[in-house]
Amino acid sequence: MNRDSRYLESILHHDIPLTREMGLKVSGWEAGQLRLSLPLEPNVNHKSTMFGGSLYCGAVLAGWGWLHLSLHEAGIEDGHIVIQEGQISYPLPVTGDAEARCAAPEEKVWKKFLATYQRYGRARLTLDTQVLNVGSEDEAVRFSGQYVLHR
């Protein structure tokens, strides 16, 4: 685990205590992609699959974490990130441990977001995340979230 991954995990566990109870870990931050791991056991439902609320939380946090680390790398430390809106679908059950992933948006979208924030002190960014069963590349969850950064 690299320094940025440890930093984000400590922020999540301190600022959002639920992440500790969920067993959420930051499993990677490379090439503009954030990966979070979610173990099945603390997130299991009555069907022995992962609880939909845990999957939603993991998907939201993958986007939130991606934005937090990207802002940190850009030297922006004065903003507050909130999720404003989210759409989720659950095409497949999660039957074991899961991985939530968020990749960078297009560079021009990111640059416009940063410029808007610098100018107005508030900006919105849509990030897409996915959750996969560990060992599979098939999307179990698709999430699109609109995040707001404000001073």
Side-chain angles (χ1 to χ4, degrees):
M1 180 187 296
N2 66 29
R3 186 172 51 89
D4 290 329
S5 297
R6 283 192 303 273
Y7 160 75
L8 179 60
E9 192 172 297
S10 70
I11 294 286
L12 289 170
H13 288 179
H14 180 269
D15 292 355
I16 307 170
L18 173 65
T19 60
R20 288 192 310 264
E21 299 303 318
M22 292 173 65
L24 183 140
K25 300 281 185 205
V26 177
S27 52
W29 173 245
E30 299 101 21
Q33 184 183 72
L34 177 65
R35 293 181 292 111
L36 304 177
S37 64
L38 290 166
L40 177 62
E41 188 179 325
N43 299 292
V44 73
N45 66 17
H46 63 291
K47 299 283 189 181
S48 299
T49 61
M50 196 167 291
F51 174 57
S54 294
L55 291 166
Y56 185 88
C57 187
V60 168
L61 289 169
W64 188 95
W66 184 93
L67 186 50
H68 187 88
L69 285 175
S70 296
L71 290 167
H72 184 71
E73 287 183 353
I76 297 174
E77 304 285 339
D78 65 342
H80 302 280
I81 304 166
V82 294
I83 179 82
Q84 183 179 49
E85 188 177 313
Q87 292 82 37
I88 195 161
S89 62
Y90 303 89
L92 294 172
V94 175
T95 56
D97 295 343
E99 182 174 82
R101 296 178 184 171
C102 182
E106 292 182 33
E107 186 67 21
K108 67 181 181 182
V109 172
W110 175 242
K111 287 190 182 306
K112 182 179 178 189
F113 170 80
L114 290 175
T116 301
Y117 180 70
Q118 303 277 0
R119 183 168 184 187
Y120 300 106
R122 183 179 178 91
R124 287 181 181 81
L125 182 67
T126 298
L127 293 171
D128 297 321
T129 63
Q130 59 183 187
V131 181
L132 313 169
N133 282 285
V134 168
S136 172
E137 288 299 314
D138 297 329
E139 283 184 322
V141 174
R142 279 190 295 273
F143 177 79
S144 181
Q146 186 174 59
Y147 297 83
V148 175
L149 178 66
H150 64 90
R151 286 198 178 99

